[in-house]
Amino acid sequence: MVQAPAQVHTRADEAFDCLQTAIVMGDLAPGEKIGEVELCSRFNLTRGPLREALGRLESRGLLVRRPHAGVKVVSVSAEELLELYRIREVMEGLAARQAAERMTDEEIRDLKATLDSHEKMIDEAQGQAYYQAEGDYDFHHRIATGSRNTKLAQMLLGDLYYMVRMYRYRLSTSAGRPHMALGEHRRIVEAIAQRDGELAEFLMKRHINAARQNIEQKIQEGVLTI
Amino acid sequence: MVQAPAQVHTRADEAFDCLQTAIVMGDLAPGEKIGEVELCSRFNLTRGPLREALGRLESRGLLVRRPHAGVKVVSVSAEELLELYRIREVMEGLAARQAAERMTDEEIRDLKATLDSHEKMIDEAQGQAYYQAEGDYDFHHRIATGSRNTKLAQMLLGDLYYMVRMYRYRLSTSAGRPHMALGEHRRIVEAIAQRDGELAEFLMKRHINAARQNIEQKIQEGVLTI
DNA sequence: TTGCTCCATTTTGTTGACAATCCGGCTCGT
DNA sequence: ACGAGCCGGATTGTCAACAAAATGGAGCAA
């Protein structure tokens, strides 16, 4: 979807991608228990590759599987969603620090350009928070890969983001935050451009902390029901 | 092995555990390419469950798989091992902080008792750094679960520790560090007992940072060849 | 009526065989 | 002699049928 797979030749990879996007997009509701044969008919697969993909998904924590009892999409509680942001805070803080130390000048230029395009998108489609959500993901994606920390990027991109995005589609970010978030992004990039890792880490942690508090507030207001 | 699986009924789980421990213990050398049928005969399995386990292992980053070309155990470079410690630093720092806020009094008592038994083990089998390594793992394991952060514990226990342990068996920790590490552990537990999350986080980060520097130094000395 | 037990159906777990793909060695041409 | 193309063997990916286990309902007893 957003992360173009190099080449998906095998059926199992195909099944994996299909299921993953289906879960993230909400086509498969959290807590929903699904039979293997139904999934096979829905995605035109046989059970062999499907089971392999199921194993991968389970290992990533997107679904749980009880022996002989079937699989069901994982349902994350409000508390667990907030915990996810706590993890993001420290991990992306590290990513920002390492990105400041290791990103190439060209990557930093691209990053700035990305922010410019995000700003245009926000201005054009104001209120359409969806684009902001995608843009936000794009920003954090670049920082993660820019850290040159293979495992860190793998954990952020492969584990955390999918779980977060799973809820992004449901709870489009609040109206006021896109502009604020963009400003925070700009300051982070500035710190990276100045190769100030410590500052970049601090700003990134504060940025994600703000996002978490935003969600927390909405939950307390009863706007968000998870 | 060290983590008794609740109940491994399915063959795929069995295969997963076998392969995982085989990789961690070094029975399957990093970079070694292995055929599916050979694995089947070695662990008395059929290819179905094996492939499912292989998918899970790949998803966890313990082995890589090229379509139609076979699987090979992942080989981590020295730089990547150090990067792993950087990730541990921030994640376990968070775990320590949350553990200080959320562990029950009983869990803290158990944690102290664990340290006492570690001390005895170190005194009895001095030089035998192996026990220390296991004890160290046990300590960090308890902190991770004590954080009450499901995903955090899952990522630490399911992803990072296995990769770290993969090298622990090869590069038994240096002679002097066990005693020092134990002292650091004690101070961390003290901070947790006082419910001082901030201090616990700081101490844990410094503890892991020290371990990282220890490894880094040994690599530069040429003692460690990875 | 309520609870338990037993049974049948459905679903999962497993197996072995089949088809597609890649790697190594060989032959042939220049 | 050296490189390119080709073929055979082996290995992986896929499939459909078989066996085991659990859920749900029906029947019976209290």
Side-chain angles (χ1 to χ4, degrees):
Chain A
M1 188 84 215
V2 61
Q3 164 180 254
Q7 62 246 39
V8 270
H9 275 315
T10 162
R11 298 284 243 185
D13 291 333
E14 196 181 328
F16 181 73
D17 286 343
C18 285
L19 284 235
Q20 191 164 34
T21 57
I23 292 172
V24 171
M25 299 285 287
D27 294 346
L28 270 52
E32 184 180 349
K33 53 183 172 295
I34 39 185
E36 291 186 1
V37 285
E38 187 194 333
L39 288 175
C40 291
S41 61
R42 202 201 285 209
F43 296 108
N44 283 65
L45 295 161
T46 51
R47 285 183 53 212
L50 182 90
R51 284 184 61 81
E52 197 180 318
L54 251 42
R56 286 201 244 176
L57 267 312
E58 187 197 14
S59 179
R60 292 206 176 179
L62 267 78
L63 48 83
V64 291
R65 184 142 69 135
R66 256 199 6 236
H68 301 281
V71 307
K72 72 174 202 288
V73 181
V74 73
S75 67
V76 178
S77 68
E79 286 77 22
E80 285 171 323
L81 181 64
L82 294 174
E83 293 299 329
L84 247 50
Y85 272 79
R86 285 244 150 74
I87 303 174
R88 280 189 64 190
E89 186 179 324
V90 296
M91 288 188 74
E92 298 208 37
L94 173 62
R97 190 175 74 204
Q98 296 195 319
E101 296 165 355
R102 300 175 186 176
M103 263 184 153
T104 66
D105 293 335
E106 193 182 338
E107 280 176 318
I108 295 175
R109 267 201 304 276
D110 287 351
L111 194 55
K112 285 178 180 172
T114 304
L115 287 191
D116 290 337
S117 84
H118 290 172
E119 185 168 22
K120 219 183 325 185
M121 280 203 294
I122 293 174
D123 288 345
E124 284 174 0
Q126 59 185 19
Q128 283 277 20
Y130 173 81
Y131 293 115
Q132 155 60 12
E134 277 301 306
D136 186 60
Y137 174 75
D138 190 21
F139 173 77
H140 291 280
H141 186 100
R142 280 169 189 266
I143 302 274
T145 54
S147 74
R148 297 283 193 285
N149 190 329
T150 316
K151 189 74 184 173
L152 179 63
Q154 180 187 321
M155 291 174 95
L156 281 172
L157 273 46
D159 283 317
L160 281 178
Y161 286 170
Y162 282 109
M163 299 209 69
V164 173
R165 287 211 303 156
M166 203 168 135
Y167 286 91
R168 275 261 183 82
Y169 281 98
R170 259 183 280 295
L171 55 85
S172 56
T173 47
S174 72
R177 253 195 77 69
H179 284 99
M180 205 152 76
L182 185 67
E184 291 168 5
H185 286 182
R186 284 215 185 278
R187 260 179 287 182
I188 292 169
V189 173
E190 209 172 310
I192 290 175
Q194 291 169 1
R195 305 295 181 186
D196 189 340
E198 207 170 355
L199 180 61
E201 179 172 14
F202 172 78
L203 290 174
M204 178 63 91
K205 287 178 78 169
R206 201 169 65 170
H207 169 58
I208 294 175
N209 196 22
R212 183 183 56 75
Q213 286 181 344
N214 182 262
I215 293 177
E216 200 167 9
Q217 188 188 333
K218 289 181 107 178
I219 291 175
Q220 284 181 345
E221 286 172 359
V223 182
L224 275 182
T225 42
I226 297 180
Chain B
M1 186 87 216
V2 61
Q3 162 181 258
Q7 61 249 40
V8 270
H9 275 313
T10 163
R11 299 286 242 183
D13 291 334
E14 197 181 326
F16 182 73
D17 286 343
C18 284
L19 285 236
Q20 191 163 33
T21 57
I23 292 173
V24 170
M25 299 285 287
D27 295 345
L28 269 52
E32 183 180 350
K33 53 181 170 296
I34 40 188
E36 291 185 1
V37 286
E38 187 193 334
L39 288 174
C40 290
S41 61
R42 202 202 284 207
F43 295 109
N44 282 66
L45 295 162
T46 51
R47 284 184 53 213
L50 182 90
R51 284 183 60 81
E52 197 182 318
L54 251 41
R56 285 201 245 177
L57 268 311
E58 187 196 15
S59 177
R60 292 206 176 178
L62 267 77
L63 49 81
V64 290
R65 184 143 71 135
R66 255 201 4 236
H68 302 281
V71 308
K72 72 174 203 285
V73 181
V74 73
S75 65
V76 178
S77 68
E79 286 77 21
E80 284 171 323
L81 180 65
L82 294 174
E83 293 298 329
L84 247 51
Y85 272 79
R86 284 244 149 75
I87 303 174
R88 280 189 64 189
E89 188 179 323
V90 296
M91 288 188 74
E92 298 209 37
L94 173 62
R97 190 175 74 204
Q98 296 196 318
E101 297 165 355
R102 301 176 184 175
M103 262 184 154
T104 66
D105 293 336
E106 192 182 337
E107 280 176 319
I108 294 175
R109 268 201 305 276
D110 286 352
L111 194 55
K112 284 179 179 171
T114 304
L115 286 190
D116 290 338
S117 84
H118 290 173
E119 185 168 21
K120 216 179 337 182
M121 279 203 296
I122 293 174
D123 288 344
E124 285 173 359
Q126 59 185 19
Q128 283 277 22
Y130 173 80
Y131 292 114
Q132 155 60 10
E134 278 301 306
D136 186 58
Y137 174 75
D138 191 20
F139 173 76
H140 290 281
H141 186 99
R142 280 169 188 267
I143 301 275
T145 54
S147 74
R148 297 283 191 289
N149 191 329
T150 316
K151 190 72 184 177
L152 180 62
Q154 181 187 323
M155 291 174 95
L156 282 172
L157 273 46
D159 282 316
L160 280 179
Y161 285 171
Y162 281 109
M163 300 209 70
V164 173
R165 287 210 302 157
M166 201 170 138
Y167 286 91
R168 274 260 183 82
Y169 281 97
R170 260 183 279 294
L171 56 85
S172 54
T173 46
S174 73
R177 252 197 76 69
H179 283 98
M180 205 152 76
L182 185 67
E184 291 168 5
H185 285 181
R186 284 213 184 280
R187 260 179 289 182
I188 291 169
V189 172
E190 209 173 310
I192 290 175
Q194 291 169 1
R195 305 296 182 184
D196 190 341
E198 208 171 354
L199 180 61
E201 177 171 15
F202 172 79
L203 290 173
M204 178 63 91
K205 287 178 77 169
R206 200 169 64 171
H207 169 58
I208 293 174
N209 196 23
R212 184 183 56 76
Q213 287 181 344
N214 182 262
I215 293 176
E216 199 167 8
Q217 188 189 331
K218 289 182 105 175
I219 291 175
Q220 284 180 347
E221 286 172 359
V223 182
L224 277 182
T225 42
I226 298 181

